[in-house]
Amino acid sequence: DSGVTQTPKHLITATGQRVTLRCSPRSGDLSVYWYQQSLDQGLQFLIQYYNGEERAKGNILERFSAQQFPDLHSELNLSSLELGDSALYFCASKGRTTAGELFFGEGSRLTVL
Amino acid sequence: AQTVTQSQPEMSVQEAETVTLSCTYDTSESDYYLFWYKQPPSRQMILVIRQEAYKQQNATENRFSVNFQKAAKSFSLKISDSQLGDAAMYFCAYREIGANSKLTFGKGITLSVRP
């Protein structure tokens, strides 16, 4: 158990819909990272938050947005969903060692039909 | 931009044998971190081992060890005494120094273990 909690574990929805994925980082970790894992693109970095502020942005579509709340949990909002958005979405929090390894949640499997 | 390359999509090893998974990376930085993550069928991403680039000594974690060749930008993972539970996808990852730097992953390699 990494200590990072993600909900829901599985989600099936239709094209054009909007979903929200939720993440709680490990106790005491201030940074949250979101990654998308698809078969053809591998693990792609989406966005990072630190203590409520956006710190880095990767290959995140304009239809996607995220935020981190004062209690440090984070939400990733995906809207106007397309078939190609079907993927495994991971949240991770950054450890406090010098190397700053990421600890991942179990992921949210999104299927868009 | 930094890139991480895992050129072997699949490998297979006999139980109790040793296998080495290859990884190369490209960076202009002199200091950084490297990681290997394991993703079993459960899909959880599990940290296997990490290496700080400023350390010359190769990292070791029980049956897992790395061969870090900084000049060659190579970072291979050796699994000794392979077990059935080692069957998984393995990802090599790179991170720059800096509080807000992200992990950049390779495409991964699928390791199967033959009983």
mmCIF file of all heavy atoms in Angstrom, chain A residues 8-31:
data_model
loop_
_atom_site.group_PDB
_atom_site.id
_atom_site.type_symbol
_atom_site.label_atom_id
_atom_site.label_comp_id
_atom_site.label_asym_id
_atom_site.label_seq_id
_atom_site.Cartn_x
_atom_site.Cartn_y
_atom_site.Cartn_z
ATOM 1 N N PRO A 8 -12.684 7.081 -8.495
ATOM 2 C CA PRO A 8 -13.039 5.658 -8.392
ATOM 3 C C PRO A 8 -11.966 4.778 -9.019
ATOM 4 O O PRO A 8 -11.099 5.268 -9.739
ATOM 5 C CB PRO A 8 -14.331 5.601 -9.208
ATOM 6 C CG PRO A 8 -14.141 6.632 -10.269
ATOM 7 C CD PRO A 8 -13.368 7.753 -9.620
ATOM 8 N N LYS A 9 -12.008 3.490 -8.785
ATOM 9 C CA LYS A 9 -11.060 2.580 -9.397
ATOM 10 C C LYS A 9 -11.413 2.318 -10.851
ATOM 11 O O LYS A 9 -10.532 2.147 -11.701
ATOM 12 C CB LYS A 9 -11.005 1.263 -8.623
ATOM 13 C CG LYS A 9 -10.269 1.359 -7.308
ATOM 14 C CD LYS A 9 -10.087 0.009 -6.666
ATOM 15 C CE LYS A 9 -9.162 0.053 -5.463
ATOM 16 N NZ LYS A 9 -9.352 1.170 -4.554
ATOM 17 N N HIS A 10 -12.693 2.259 -11.133
ATOM 18 C CA HIS A 10 -13.158 2.025 -12.504
ATOM 19 C C HIS A 10 -14.293 2.983 -12.798
ATOM 20 O O HIS A 10 -15.109 3.278 -11.917
ATOM 21 C CB HIS A 10 -13.667 0.594 -12.675
ATOM 22 C CG HIS A 10 -12.647 -0.453 -12.364
ATOM 23 N ND1 HIS A 10 -11.697 -0.859 -13.269
ATOM 24 C CD2 HIS A 10 -12.422 -1.172 -11.243
ATOM 25 C CE1 HIS A 10 -10.930 -1.782 -12.719
ATOM 26 N NE2 HIS A 10 -11.350 -1.992 -11.497
ATOM 27 N N LEU A 11 -14.352 3.426 -14.049
ATOM 28 C CA LEU A 11 -15.381 4.365 -14.462
ATOM 29 C C LEU A 11 -15.680 4.132 -15.928
ATOM 30 O O LEU A 11 -14.765 4.117 -16.761
ATOM 31 C CB LEU A 11 -14.873 5.790 -14.242
ATOM 32 C CG LEU A 11 -15.841 6.956 -14.335
ATOM 33 C CD1 LEU A 11 -17.017 6.755 -13.391
ATOM 34 C CD2 LEU A 11 -15.118 8.241 -13.982
ATOM 35 N N ILE A 12 -16.944 3.939 -16.242
ATOM 36 C CA ILE A 12 -17.372 3.784 -17.636
ATOM 37 C C ILE A 12 -18.352 4.891 -17.939
ATOM 38 O O ILE A 12 -19.311 5.101 -17.193
ATOM 39 C CB ILE A 12 -18.027 2.407 -17.879
ATOM 40 C CG1 ILE A 12 -17.060 1.284 -17.529
ATOM 41 C CG2 ILE A 12 -18.473 2.285 -19.342
ATOM 42 C CD1 ILE A 12 -17.672 -0.102 -17.597
ATOM 43 N N THR A 13 -18.108 5.606 -19.029
ATOM 44 C CA THR A 13 -18.977 6.721 -19.374
ATOM 45 C C THR A 13 -19.063 6.837 -20.889
ATOM 46 O O THR A 13 -18.425 6.083 -21.624
ATOM 47 C CB THR A 13 -18.460 8.025 -18.737
ATOM 48 O OG1 THR A 13 -19.434 9.055 -18.911
ATOM 49 C CG2 THR A 13 -17.149 8.450 -19.370
ATOM 50 N N ALA A 14 -19.842 7.793 -21.337
ATOM 51 C CA ALA A 14 -20.066 7.949 -22.772
ATOM 52 C C ALA A 14 -19.310 9.159 -23.308
ATOM 53 O O ALA A 14 -18.930 10.060 -22.553
ATOM 54 C CB ALA A 14 -21.561 8.103 -23.041
ATOM 55 N N THR A 15 -19.126 9.180 -24.606
ATOM 56 C CA THR A 15 -18.465 10.328 -25.236
ATOM 57 C C THR A 15 -19.269 11.599 -24.956
ATOM 58 O O THR A 15 -20.506 11.566 -24.841
ATOM 59 C CB THR A 15 -18.338 10.157 -26.756
ATOM 60 O OG1 THR A 15 -19.630 9.879 -27.301
ATOM 61 C CG2 THR A 15 -17.389 9.019 -27.099
ATOM 62 N N GLY A 16 -18.547 12.684 -24.775
ATOM 63 C CA GLY A 16 -19.163 13.971 -24.506
ATOM 64 C C GLY A 16 -19.412 14.255 -23.039
ATOM 65 O O GLY A 16 -19.715 15.393 -22.674
ATOM 66 N N GLN A 17 -19.269 13.245 -22.212
ATOM 67 C CA GLN A 17 -19.537 13.409 -20.784
ATOM 68 C C GLN A 17 -18.336 14.011 -20.046
ATOM 69 O O GLN A 17 -17.249 14.199 -20.612
ATOM 70 C CB GLN A 17 -19.907 12.064 -20.160
ATOM 71 C CG GLN A 17 -21.214 11.483 -20.675
ATOM 72 C CD GLN A 17 -22.400 12.384 -20.371
ATOM 73 O OE1 GLN A 17 -22.660 12.747 -19.234
ATOM 74 N NE2 GLN A 17 -23.124 12.769 -21.411
ATOM 75 N N ARG A 18 -18.558 14.281 -18.752
ATOM 76 C CA ARG A 18 -17.519 14.845 -17.900
ATOM 77 C C ARG A 18 -17.380 13.959 -16.667
ATOM 78 O O ARG A 18 -18.394 13.481 -16.140
ATOM 79 C CB ARG A 18 -17.921 16.257 -17.480
ATOM 80 C CG ARG A 18 -17.052 16.905 -16.434
ATOM 81 C CD ARG A 18 -17.711 18.196 -15.935
ATOM 82 N NE ARG A 18 -17.076 18.707 -14.733
ATOM 83 C CZ ARG A 18 -16.115 19.622 -14.716
ATOM 84 N NH1 ARG A 18 -15.663 20.125 -15.848
ATOM 85 N NH2 ARG A 18 -15.591 20.033 -13.575
ATOM 86 N N VAL A 19 -16.142 13.735 -16.235
ATOM 87 C CA VAL A 19 -15.902 12.930 -15.033
ATOM 88 C C VAL A 19 -14.884 13.631 -14.151
ATOM 89 O O VAL A 19 -14.103 14.474 -14.612
ATOM 90 C CB VAL A 19 -15.399 11.509 -15.379
ATOM 91 C CG1 VAL A 19 -16.420 10.744 -16.205
ATOM 92 C CG2 VAL A 19 -14.049 11.553 -16.082
ATOM 93 N N THR A 20 -14.898 13.273 -12.885
ATOM 94 C CA THR A 20 -13.921 13.800 -11.924
ATOM 95 C C THR A 20 -13.241 12.638 -11.233
ATOM 96 O O THR A 20 -13.905 11.744 -10.697
ATOM 97 C CB THR A 20 -14.614 14.695 -10.883
ATOM 98 O OG1 THR A 20 -15.185 15.826 -11.548
ATOM 99 C CG2 THR A 20 -13.599 15.185 -9.849
ATOM 100 N N LEU A 21 -11.925 12.655 -11.247
ATOM 101 C CA LEU A 21 -11.116 11.653 -10.560
ATOM 102 C C LEU A 21 -10.516 12.309 -9.331
ATOM 103 O O LEU A 21 -10.052 13.455 -9.389
ATOM 104 C CB LEU A 21 -10.003 11.137 -11.486
ATOM 105 C CG LEU A 21 -10.445 10.682 -12.878
ATOM 106 C CD1 LEU A 21 -9.241 10.187 -13.673
ATOM 107 C CD2 LEU A 21 -11.517 9.619 -12.794
ATOM 108 N N ARG A 22 -10.492 11.560 -8.242
ATOM 109 C CA ARG A 22 -10.055 12.128 -6.974
ATOM 110 C C ARG A 22 -8.819 11.410 -6.446
ATOM 111 O O ARG A 22 -8.659 10.204 -6.652
ATOM 112 C CB ARG A 22 -11.186 12.021 -5.958
ATOM 113 C CG ARG A 22 -10.882 12.627 -4.613
ATOM 114 C CD ARG A 22 -11.968 12.306 -3.606
ATOM 115 N NE ARG A 22 -11.541 12.645 -2.246
ATOM 116 C CZ ARG A 22 -11.941 13.722 -1.596
ATOM 117 N NH1 ARG A 22 -12.793 14.571 -2.160
ATOM 118 N NH2 ARG A 22 -11.518 13.975 -0.369
ATOM 119 N N CYS A 23 -7.970 12.160 -5.786
ATOM 120 C CA CYS A 23 -6.720 11.613 -5.264
ATOM 121 C C CYS A 23 -6.416 12.215 -3.898
ATOM 122 O O CYS A 23 -6.490 13.435 -3.725
ATOM 123 C CB CYS A 23 -5.573 11.931 -6.221
ATOM 124 S SG CYS A 23 -3.917 11.636 -5.548
ATOM 125 N N SER A 24 -6.028 11.353 -2.950
ATOM 126 C CA SER A 24 -5.517 11.817 -1.664
ATOM 127 C C SER A 24 -4.062 11.376 -1.555
ATOM 128 O O SER A 24 -3.779 10.177 -1.619
ATOM 129 C CB SER A 24 -6.328 11.236 -0.514
ATOM 130 O OG SER A 24 -7.633 11.749 -0.535
ATOM 131 N N PRO A 25 -3.132 12.313 -1.393
ATOM 132 C CA PRO A 25 -1.722 11.938 -1.322
ATOM 133 C C PRO A 25 -1.392 11.284 0.011
ATOM 134 O O PRO A 25 -2.227 11.225 0.915
ATOM 135 C CB PRO A 25 -0.998 13.283 -1.462
ATOM 136 C CG PRO A 25 -1.967 14.276 -0.917
ATOM 137 C CD PRO A 25 -3.324 13.760 -1.281
ATOM 138 N N ARG A 26 -0.172 10.791 0.128
ATOM 139 C CA ARG A 26 0.301 10.228 1.382
ATOM 140 C C ARG A 26 0.283 11.311 2.447
ATOM 141 O O ARG A 26 0.484 12.499 2.158
ATOM 142 C CB ARG A 26 1.724 9.695 1.237
ATOM 143 C CG ARG A 26 1.884 8.555 0.289
ATOM 144 C CD ARG A 26 3.297 7.967 0.358
ATOM 145 N NE ARG A 26 4.319 8.981 0.513
ATOM 146 C CZ ARG A 26 5.531 8.754 0.984
ATOM 147 N NH1 ARG A 26 5.862 7.520 1.372
ATOM 148 N NH2 ARG A 26 6.415 9.715 1.068
ATOM 149 N N SER A 27 0.080 10.892 3.670
ATOM 150 C CA SER A 27 0.040 11.836 4.774
ATOM 151 C C SER A 27 1.340 12.634 4.827
ATOM 152 O O SER A 27 2.436 12.057 4.829
ATOM 153 C CB SER A 27 -0.162 11.063 6.083
ATOM 154 O OG SER A 27 -0.126 11.939 7.183
ATOM 155 N N GLY A 28 1.205 13.951 4.812
ATOM 156 C CA GLY A 28 2.374 14.810 4.907
ATOM 157 C C GLY A 28 2.986 15.220 3.582
ATOM 158 O O GLY A 28 3.791 16.154 3.527
ATOM 159 N N ASP A 29 2.622 14.527 2.482
ATOM 160 C CA ASP A 29 3.164 14.900 1.167
ATOM 161 C C ASP A 29 2.382 16.079 0.606
ATOM 162 O O ASP A 29 1.157 16.078 0.610
ATOM 163 C CB ASP A 29 3.085 13.727 0.189
ATOM 164 C CG ASP A 29 4.112 12.659 0.491
ATOM 165 O OD1 ASP A 29 4.987 12.890 1.354
ATOM 166 O OD2 ASP A 29 4.039 11.580 -0.134
ATOM 167 N N LEU A 30 3.109 17.070 0.092
ATOM 168 C CA LEU A 30 2.474 18.279 -0.397
ATOM 169 C C LEU A 30 2.292 18.282 -1.915
ATOM 170 O O LEU A 30 1.497 19.048 -2.443
ATOM 171 C CB LEU A 30 3.302 19.501 0.010
ATOM 172 C CG LEU A 30 3.536 19.682 1.518
ATOM 173 C CD1 LEU A 30 4.417 20.895 1.780
ATOM 174 C CD2 LEU A 30 2.208 19.819 2.259
ATOM 175 N N SER A 31 3.080 17.471 -2.609
ATOM 176 C CA SER A 31 3.047 17.453 -4.075
ATOM 177 C C SER A 31 2.160 16.333 -4.595
ATOM 178 O O SER A 31 2.219 15.208 -4.105
ATOM 179 C CB SER A 31 4.447 17.230 -4.633
ATOM 180 O OG SER A 31 5.177 18.422 -4.690
#
